[in-house]
Amino acid sequence: MPAPVAAAPPNKPLSAPQKALHRLGLVRDIDLALHLPLRYEDETRITPLSEARDGQVVQLEGTVTRQEISHRPRRQLLVTLDDGSDTCTLRFFTFYPSHLKALAVGARVRVRGELRGGFLGRTIMHPAFHAAAGELPDALTPVYPASAQLPQAYLRKAVATGLRRADLDETLPPGLLRSLQEALHGQRVPLMSLREALQHLHHPGPEVSPDALEDRSHPAWQRLKAEELLAQQLSQLAAKRERDALRAPVLPVHAGGLHEQLLGALPFALTAAQRRVGEEIARDLARPVPMHRLLQGDVGSGKTVVAALAAAVAIDAGWQCALMAPTEILAEQHFAKLVGWLEPLLAPRGQRVAWLTGSQKKKQREQMLALVASGEAALVVGTHAVIQAQVQFRRLGLAVIDEQHRFGVAQRLALRSKTAAAQAAEPHLLMMSATPIPRTLAMSYYADLDVSTIDELPPGRTPIVTKVVSESRRAEVIARIRAQLAEGRQVYWVCPLIEESEALDLSNATATHAELSQSLDGVLVGLLHSRMPAAEKKAVMSLFSGGQMGVLVSTTVIEVGVDVPNASLMVIEHAERFGLSQLHQLRGRVGRGAAASACVLMYTPPEGGRLGETARERLRAMAETTDGFEIARRDLEIRGPGEFLGARQSGAPLLRFADLATDTHLLQWARGAAAEMLTGHPAAAEKHVARWLGNKAEYLKA
């Protein structure tokens, strides 16, 4: 086998294993050095059969005394191995001529596998084997994450080559090494260097407990986690400082201007939290550096009005504002509110609110594009259509992205680049999320953002009672719907799928719609799902919003943005199939009026069984709290960070080694260390980020 390397020489085609390495992201020597084992096998000792226990993974050495191919009950190769203390059978259901040759009678071999007892004697199924020759290894044998095209033997050689050639010189200055030792609670063992830590994890000695290696508590793991978190923090802080060096339009609040007029025209008073975050945003807009702020608030906390006030500041200063939402329904909800609040104030100024989506007719779209290009459209609301090439803003000063985790990095970069080249200024960026971000996540993945939090709900919002019920009580749930309808209320019924799926035995939205239409005589029951034409969706939503429709059966297209104060009951069918933050978002569609509201989580246990632990944890959390921040904390525990980040990390890795739930002390250290290193040791900081993130650091800047 040729010596494996991460890259082929120029103009020489890559071999199949080299291509497989590249697909795993193993391109540089350092990538190979940081490709750590999944687990370890102990090949350092031979266990005599007489001392081995059934169920134990053992390495045996012995002589083949018998070989036969049996055809009962199915074709198999049976090999008898005698190690001098006892015998056992090696059983192979898949085998090749090479097996017959290597395991011929008289051959002396080493085999490794799980020893099983049984009526016909002790057996090892499909053991690993090779000729008994040479010294036993003096370290545990690593087993790496691999692929079918990448044999372990090849990968082990490639990793060993990468580890030998990679530049693993120390990047941390002495002061930070001392503070890291303290962060590790003054571990009595000396702090390992990166080279020592990697050497240890790739080739641990036989005296090391595999458990300590696999639970990631070993000092070698601690060193790696700290280095990884530091690279992430350095990347985020460098992105923030880079952005702070850019210029953005200065958008001050004018006395008696549009901002003040909008405040006076609103039919409600702002909460203290809305006023506070509004002031934080206004301070950012008045600075000549681009705002990069995340506005987070629970479902129904009033983020849209805060965005409208920010838009008023930008428009009053002579700039345009764009608001982008992930779905047409959500964009339309924003549009309706913003038109109601702002259009009466913009009309006397000869300005208006424009609407852009992918489903628009060509003529209407061309009209809107002209309004945007001329600057007459002071505010542009829409879906991802807002960032398409043909949309040209005259002077974009503020970009607002709602439900930011639904958008990818490339989409956000496209919106930021919408300013004309002549403008020479970045737009301010306000991102909004109704999924509150747990503190550890804000400290790590969102370290480059300023975060504003609306932590109170507007007055008049009624508490929502959440009930978890089994599908067997479906008739009771429908009776509850009848009672709500009799009181003049409206009801949502959410289903997870549109069509029957053989893989998931779920009742679909269409069948539920038919069932409820039949059960609720004289009530208009609507159906809404993502495959309907936009005009049809709009018509259904209009009937429900207007109160003519009593029940809306829907897939999760109503998850965000739908605001019908008269709706007081939400039924979520197959609630066990939904994520926690999605359940919380759906529940937030009720409780928007004065009537007492409820959310029924209807689950279907697997046939003859009970719900899995994760599903039970989610439903329990929903029943116990309506606090979005507590829901977010539990969601992070159950699902990990991916759910919150969405496409933010497209191209940039989630943490491979560190764990936000258990490594908070290292994250705290990395935050302080990043600021110190970037300021005092910029070259070492750059080298550290390049080592850990390579070109992926660019994605963290969006």
Side-chain angles (χ1 to χ4, degrees):
M1 186 187 297
V5 289
N11 304 322
K12 186 179 176 185
L14 294 176
S15 66
Q18 284 172 331
K19 286 178 184 171
L21 284 176
H22 282 225
R23 279 195 294 274
L24 285 175
L26 306 178
V27 178
R28 307 171 299 161
D29 289 324
I30 187 65
D31 299 330
L32 286 159
L34 293 173
H35 190 65
L36 295 187
L38 280 171
R39 63 179 196 279
Y40 302 88
E41 292 178 346
D42 186 356
E43 296 180 354
T44 63
R45 55 176 71 89
I46 302 290
T47 305
L49 266 168
S50 58
E51 296 174 17
R53 299 186 312 275
D54 291 349
Q56 185 181 0
V57 175
V58 291
Q59 181 169 241
L60 310 173
E61 184 172 315
T63 304
V64 176
T65 57
R66 186 162 177 266
Q67 181 192 91
E68 83 169 290
I69 296 174
S70 167
H71 291 273
R72 286 160 61 178
R74 53 183 276 201
R75 189 171 182 269
Q76 55 187 304
L77 172 65
L78 301 173
V79 174
T80 304
L81 184 77
D82 184 342
D83 76 343
S85 72
D86 201 349
T87 63
C88 77
T89 301
L90 315 180
R91 189 186 299 270
F92 300 87
F93 288 115
T94 305
F95 57 93
Y96 303 97
S98 58
H99 285 63
L100 302 177
K101 187 175 176 184
L103 296 170
V105 172
R108 188 148 184 88
V109 291
R110 273 183 205 151
V111 302
R112 178 181 171 78
E114 184 185 336
L115 191 64
R116 299 179 184 178
F119 180 68
L120 297 174
R122 301 170 102 184
T123 305
I124 301 181
M125 305 286 287
H126 285 276
F129 64 90
H130 58 83
E135 297 290 313
L136 290 169
D138 57 6
L140 299 179
T141 304
V143 179
Y144 292 102
S147 65
Q149 298 79 32
L150 205 53
Q152 282 292 325
Y154 187 98
L155 189 48
R156 283 181 190 130
K157 284 190 177 181
V159 168
T161 304
L163 188 58
R164 192 175 63 251
R165 296 196 308 206
D167 175 5
L168 298 173
D169 292 348
E170 188 61 76
T171 52
L172 273 64
L176 289 185
L177 288 170
R178 283 193 297 275
S179 67
L180 176 54
Q181 177 84 48
E182 287 162 18
L184 293 169
H185 308 304
Q187 278 184 352
R188 282 186 281 281
V189 293
L191 188 68
M192 283 183 157
S193 70
L194 178 61
R195 184 176 292 282
E196 288 167 340
L198 286 172
Q199 196 67 42
H200 183 87
L201 291 171
H202 285 295
H203 305 293
E207 75 288 349
V208 179
S209 154
D211 291 343
L213 291 171
E214 287 170 22
D215 74 4
R216 303 194 171 190
S217 60
H218 191 277
W221 271 113
Q222 298 296 315
R223 176 67 204 248
L224 253 68
K225 291 174 177 186
E227 291 241 346
E228 180 182 42
L229 286 165
L230 177 59
Q232 184 203 49
Q233 293 297 304
L234 282 168
S235 176
Q236 300 270 40
L237 186 57
K240 187 170 171 53
R241 290 186 181 180
E242 205 175 291
R243 211 167 26 246
D244 287 347
L246 297 171
R247 298 295 88 189
V250 174
L251 309 175
V253 177
H254 296 298
L258 199 57
H259 180 273
E260 211 169 284
Q261 291 169 34
L262 177 55
L263 272 175
L266 288 171
F268 51 83
L270 297 186
T271 63
Q274 285 173 320
R275 285 198 301 276
R276 174 175 44 76
V277 301
E279 286 162 12
E280 288 168 359
I281 291 166
R283 278 196 296 274
D284 279 0
L285 294 176
R287 296 172 64 228
V289 296
M291 172 173 73
H292 201 65
R293 187 169 286 277
L294 176 68
L295 172 60
Q296 61 173 0
D298 212 341
V299 178
S301 59
K303 295 180 292 297
T304 309
V305 72
V306 173
L309 288 162
V313 173
I315 294 165
D316 211 29
W319 294 77
Q320 289 168 292
C321 173
L323 189 150
M324 187 164 78
T327 67
E328 206 155 308
I329 284 182
L330 180 51
E332 203 160 320
Q333 290 280 331
H334 283 312
F335 182 69
K337 285 182 181 175
L338 294 166
V339 164
W341 293 334
L342 281 168
E343 195 112 280
L345 305 175
L346 292 175
R349 304 161 62 110
Q351 293 176 304
R352 55 177 296 188
V353 181
W355 167 244
L356 273 177
T357 70
S359 65
Q360 270 172 323
K361 298 273 192 301
K362 190 182 177 196
K363 188 177 177 186
Q364 187 191 9
R365 185 175 176 72
E366 284 172 353
Q367 286 173 341
M368 291 295 163
L369 290 173
L371 291 172
V372 175
S374 69
E376 188 182 330
L379 173 61
V380 183
V381 181
T383 56
H384 60 279
V386 170
I387 56 172
Q388 286 170 352
Q390 61 268 49
V391 184
Q392 292 299 326
F393 288 85
R394 187 165 170 269
R395 292 183 92 204
L396 180 61
L398 171 64
V400 181
I401 299 177
D402 196 15
E403 291 305 311
Q404 56 82 31
H405 62 286
R406 301 276 198 94
F407 289 100
V409 169
Q411 290 169 307
R412 285 206 295 282
L413 288 173
L415 186 51
R416 275 175 49 198
S417 66
K418 273 287 159 196
T419 48
Q423 189 176 299
E426 282 264 318
H428 295 279
L429 185 60
L430 177 65
M431 295 186 270
M432 302 198 294
S433 176
T435 305
I437 292 158
R439 181 171 161 272
T440 50
L441 212 57
M443 285 167 63
S444 55
Y445 290 101
Y446 291 93
D448 61 325
L449 284 177
D450 298 307
V451 180
S452 291
T453 303
I454 303 179
D455 50 11
E456 66 177 308
L457 291 177
R461 293 294 300 261
T462 56
I464 304 167
V465 176
T466 303
K467 296 285 185 191
V468 179
V469 304
S470 168
E471 159 72 24
S472 60
R473 295 171 61 189
R474 192 180 185 94
E476 288 175 51
V477 173
I478 294 175
R480 174 80 179 267
I481 291 175
R482 278 197 202 94
Q484 289 291 303
L485 293 169
E487 291 177 20
R489 300 290 163 206
Q490 289 166 278
V491 177
Y492 294 103
W493 185 300
V494 179
C495 302
L497 283 186
I498 300 167
E499 293 170 348
E500 289 291 355
S501 162
E502 289 172 8
L504 298 172
D505 181 25
L506 304 181
S507 57
N508 59 56
T510 313
T512 301
H513 174 254
E515 176 196 6
L516 292 176
S517 298
Q518 195 173 356
S519 302
L520 304 169
D521 201 28
V523 175
L524 181 56
V525 179
L527 176 62
L528 189 69
H529 58 73
S530 57
R531 296 184 191 176
M532 288 165 64
E536 212 175 309
K537 281 187 203 168
K538 191 172 180 179
V540 170
M541 276 312 302
S542 170
L543 286 168
F544 191 67
S545 302
Q548 299 96 313
M549 183 180 285
V551 180
L552 178 60
V553 177
S554 169
T555 56
T556 54
V557 289
I558 59 127
E559 181 184 334
V560 287
V562 178
D563 190 0
V564 180
N566 191 44
S568 60
L569 176 61
M570 163 72 68
V571 179
I572 304 176
E573 190 171 359
H574 287 291
E576 75 279 6
R577 302 282 184 185
F578 291 88
L580 192 47
S581 65
Q582 199 176 29
L583 288 171
H584 182 61
Q585 288 275 8
L586 288 165
R587 176 169 62 185
R589 298 305 105 210
V590 294
R592 292 175 166 254
S597 293
C599 176
V600 175
L601 303 176
M602 194 157 62
Y603 68 90
T604 307
E607 204 168 317
R610 57 201 295 256
L611 285 180
E613 185 57 35
T614 301
R616 286 207 308 278
E617 282 293 319
R618 283 199 292 255
L619 297 181
R620 187 181 302 130
M622 286 291 292
E624 287 173 356
T625 182
T626 55
D627 177 351
F629 288 90
E630 175 60 14
I631 291 278
R633 188 189 66 74
R634 296 208 197 177
D635 204 12
L636 182 63
E637 277 179 14
I638 295 169
R639 303 245 281 196
E643 172 73 11
F644 293 84
L645 300 169
R648 174 174 172 80
Q649 296 295 311
S650 166
L654 294 176
L655 292 167
R656 286 188 291 164
F657 306 138
D659 181 339
L660 295 182
T662 57
D663 299 321
T664 314
H665 60 299
L666 291 175
L667 178 55
Q668 295 275 22
W669 169 81
R671 277 169 72 83
E676 188 180 322
M677 197 167 168
L678 210 53
T679 303
H681 307 273
E686 191 177 335
K687 182 177 177 179
H688 190 89
V689 171
R691 171 183 288 169
W692 278 89
L693 296 176
N695 60 3
K696 292 172 183 156
E698 288 301 310
Y699 283 87
L700 291 166
K701 297 178 183 178

